[in-house]
Amino acid sequence: MAHRIEVALRDDLVDPREVDVLSSIRDLGITGIERVTVADVYWLAGSLSDAELRTAGSGLLSDPVAQVCGYDGEHVRETKPYSCAMETAYNRGVNDPLEYTILKGIQDVGIDGVARARSGTRYVLYGSCGPREIEMLTQRVLLNPLIQHVVEPGEDVFPIEPTYEFELRHVPLLQMDELERGRLAASFGFSMSEMDAVAQHFQSVGREPTDVELETLAQTWSEHCVHKTFKARIDCDGEHIDNLLRSTIMQATRQLNKDWCLSVFEDNAGVIDFDDDNAVCFKAETHNHPSAVEPYGGAATGLGGVVRDVLGTGLGARPILNTDVFCFAPPDMSYEDLPPGVLHPRRVFKGVRAGVADYGNRLGIPTVNGTLRFDPRYVGNPLVFCGTAGVMPRWAARIGRQQPGDLVVLMGGRTGRDGIHGVTFASEKLDDSSVDSSRSAVQIGNPIVEKKMIDALMQARDRHLYRRITDCGGGGLSSAVGEMGEKTGVRVYLDRVPLKYAGLSYDEIWISESQERMIVAVPPKNVDELMKICASEGVEATVIGEFTESRRLELLYNDVLVGDLDMGFLHGGRPQLELTASAPQQQWSGEDPAPAASLGNALLQILSSLNVCSKEWVIRQYDHEVQGSSVLKPLVGRDADGPGDAAVIRPLLDSTRGLAVSNGINTRYGDVDAYWMAASAIDEAIRQLVAVGAGLERVALLDNFCWGQGAEPESLWALVQSCKACHDMSLAYGTPFISGKDSLNNFSVFRGRTIAIPHTLLISAIAVVPDTEKVISMDVKSAGNALYVVGNTFSELAGSEYCALLDDAGKKVPEVRPEMACATMKALSAAINEGLVVACHDMSEGGLAVAVAEMAFSGGLGTSVNLAAVPLGESIDRDDIVLFSESNSRFVVEVPLSSVQQFEQRMEGIACGQIGTVIEDAVVHIQGLDGTLVISVPVTELKAAWKRPLDW
Amino acid sequence: MKKPRALIIRAPGTNCDVEAAYAFELAGAEPSLVHINRTISGQVSLRDYSIFMIPGGFSYGDDLGAGKVMANELERRLHDQLMEFVNRGGVVLGVCNGFQVLVRAGLLPVPFGGQRVSLLPNESGRFECRWVRLSVEPGNPCIFTRGIDSLDLAVAHGEGRLYVPAWTAAEIVPVLRYASSDGSEPVYPDDPNGSFEHIAGLCDASGRILGLMPHPERFVRSSHHPRWTAVGDFSQASDGLIFFKNAVDFALRA
């Protein structure tokens, strides 16, 4: 029998949740609702006495001081009359994240008879609203139909445990005609040539494949797992490229051959040396498609996944920082402009933000920085980049090697039907029906399960209990175990995998993407000790198989061989993709806009643009201080609200050695020229590092390509150009790429209209900072100090915020002059390390004007600046171009008068001009090229404009 | 001189334990990080320690209320050990989630007096991470804040709004209050959560049990401070460390 307990705040207390729900309802344009009350609902399966029920309510499920409980049919907090009441609960196939804690907690309070628990929420609406409005606000505010539903009166919220009758299924591939084979290929996500290769293989083996074998091949050969496009043979306007990744980005890393690169492009993350004793690994992942349909859960599991990448690198690293970049459509998009079946960008934004924050905060990993990009083309396909770095002893930096006889141990969460077909889903386009068809692809994470696993694994690593580790990510066990066993062979007993609920078939177990799971290869003699550690941390661990020397992947269920694949074929049998890339037919023909009427107003408007404005609302909801490692925070300056450049942390508490982390991304340039977009993103990431004082000596990069339709010839051409830029810049700056990721199908078709995202390349950069005591922040420090511009300005307005403001295309995008850039950055970082500079800010979106404004309002002081002193790379006679051009490799630098002479000496041979001074009067004054005052705006006004758009 | 031993207890989801242990180490204690299960099972006994700390984090995910499940463990499974510890003069520190645990376990404001106050979701409805100005309540008996009048510390929480029902208001011993920079009544964000009388931390009548939302372990070196790059003023300051030093001094004298 099921009991129901309802819990809410006492009537006299304000529940911020209610305020939030009400404001979200108002956001929908529904004005008739005057008030909302919210209560938590718990259902407990089991027979409880009245006293026990009350103990559960007051002793566990509620706060006896501030909350009240209602038992079984009773309701609390709500008043009559109301216009509508409803209760939401998780759908039956969805794991209730609270169940484990309720069952544990209920035993703590001395109650034994509860077998299952579910949770939900009761909403009561007051005021007037029609059924259509109720339907709308239910679907858009109160629940996500993918995972939740409205409880019907008398409904049993407990899932019925399904049963599973084992039956081995073969697929009659060899008997199929071309048409049937095509259909089969489509259902597994194979291309035709891949399907033919599979058929040929089984022809030679002399039998039909089983379903789980086809699933394994489909997962292992998916774009998500093998990056087919990057490894394809490409005909690029006559140039033959065999494996784009290897011939560009990896080639540069190989050529640079840095001895501090310990493990590159071979493991879950790239690894560099930190201080001879410790190594640091870094990885950025995307979780785009799941975030489009279930923003909270999709984004949360994205972060959970990249953290496991770090945990599964080498012999395991401890996560030390997160850096997140999100791309959305503008949050003020009207509902009329919203394609059918798509969640509103504001909801996606809020859900993604909350999902990543809740997961990251609970894991205790500081989110040190990140950024947001807005473009209407992200409407159906938001991008969620999650980056994580970890630290490990240097001996654990390299990928491990198991031996035949080692046991396959599955640790962490249980396996359910979560995320089945997530990998092929991740590589497919979304359409109107995605919200319906992707149910099982959405996963619900539980960060505490992951935290416990991290705690257990770090102990096991330091006691050398396992020889190799990897995470269960896309493709689940099939990818993790299949990859791990490549060089030896592996046998897995699928019936031994612990399940969340009964009813999973052997192939579902094999490909499930349930979260919070890791695989370790454990010598038999160490298994007991590992199990002891796991038990003490409350982590489930199970031996599910063993590594063999057969070079075969053998899957068993109830002692029946259900899958038997040759590792050689599984990992080497995929036919290489052949693609064509071609340059766009039309040359870029944009023109620069006429000057804005008021440059001061233009500056204010650019500060208020979504891509430039303050992201404080997001940043503050992430813990950036946990672990006690913070040195430079995401928000800096007098009032701790200025936009910092790179973040700096000290990952080892007792060492001043640190890491600086930054991101570079600018999609607008890509509309003009993908090569310079990529080069600019690299320059931006690196110059943010330099701005805080990091040198170029030990900088490692990550690439993360998100393209709209990666295989389309023009789009692929842009991808090729970007990769070439990565190669060229990597060599020029001496900064190797150490890992990367791609997601190349981010487009949606709505009623025949295709919306593809802009070419998006995120460059994440990490630098080892030998002495964090020497880093500086971007806010101006003292009146009287000199201000310099370092780096040449060119007339490069295309793709700029200024052009976006004036709704013009612009003529030339910012290029990178790597030789000059490198010399500039090296000289500047040396000057910072000598202590000659007290503030430095890189120039990016909005150019010089925005950089000066941000430095001034972050420091609470004014500036007096003269544009005539700005070093120019070519002749420019327009103030607006000097102010708003987004040329790369430039900085604004504040130098105390006592250091001016030395600073200028250090900058010899570098483009550098003293453009003015910091002044007490808190106004940004800028004189034009002819000496007249062109901008004069109080910093309070500039700051207010910059803070306004996302001050939610 | 023998170093006082500090037991830093952790549960699944605790995540400020390592830096808390480091702060105690810097302050001259000998810290041990211990999983709560080892204390419940008796493998580790509070008897061997003079300082007991519950660090921040999200114990048990903060499912069913921040700190609730861990508080029940303290109250029902460690009750006797804790009572012996407190009666013998041990010092107890709960930071952030640890404060929530102390309150829900009934260790504050009146030790072993049941839950009397609560920490509710921030008035803003949001988790927030920011540095705040704190003033130390003059004449309070707290042993942790001796020698400090005011200081800056980081907060990072979603549920830090102190709620005090009228019937317990007289029992509250405030130690720290959120303050504005100019001495006026603090409003958001100076008071980040809307607490009762802007209280950020409170102790029991003996002054040996302190719970606070801000994180002293996140300010044990000057470069923790958000404005350390601005001027030289912060080169010596690391005010959070004083909490730990005071605890160690007290334990040494006890």
Side-chain angles (χ1 to χ4, degrees), chain A residues 609-629:
Chain A
S609 69
L610 283 170
N611 288 324
V612 173
C613 74
S614 171
K615 314 298 188 285
E616 183 168 359
W617 180 82
V618 175
I619 294 167
R620 292 260 174 246
Q621 296 186 67
Y622 289 83
D623 193 338
H624 44 260
E625 304 269 355
V626 63
Q627 296 192 2
S629 54

Side-chain angles (χ1 to χ4, degrees), chain A residues 10 59 62-63 101 104 108 361-362 364 451 537 620 623 625 627-628 630-631 633 650 653 777, chain B residues 10 14-15 19 22 58 61 63 68 72-73 77 104 115 118 128-129 131 163 218 221 224 228-229:
Chain A
R10 283 172 33 167
S62 73
D63 177 328
T101 311
K104 182 243 178 305
D108 285 344
N361 290 345
R362 276 173 170 69
K451 175 73 169 82
E537 295 291 333
R620 292 260 174 246
D623 193 338
E625 304 269 355
Q627 296 192 2
S630 163
V631 177
K633 306 173 200 301
R650 282 172 45 169
L653 292 173
S777 57
Chain B
R10 66 187 176 86
T14 300
N15 61 31
E19 55 269 40
Y22 179 66
F58 293 82
D63 298 346
K68 178 73 182 178
N72 277 356
E73 291 186 317
R77 300 191 189 263
R104 297 212 151 90
Q115 186 181 341
S118 191
E128 287 202 43
C129 178
W131 279 66
Y163 168 67
R218 296 185 184 182
R221 57 174 157 84
H224 273 137
W228 75 275
T229 53

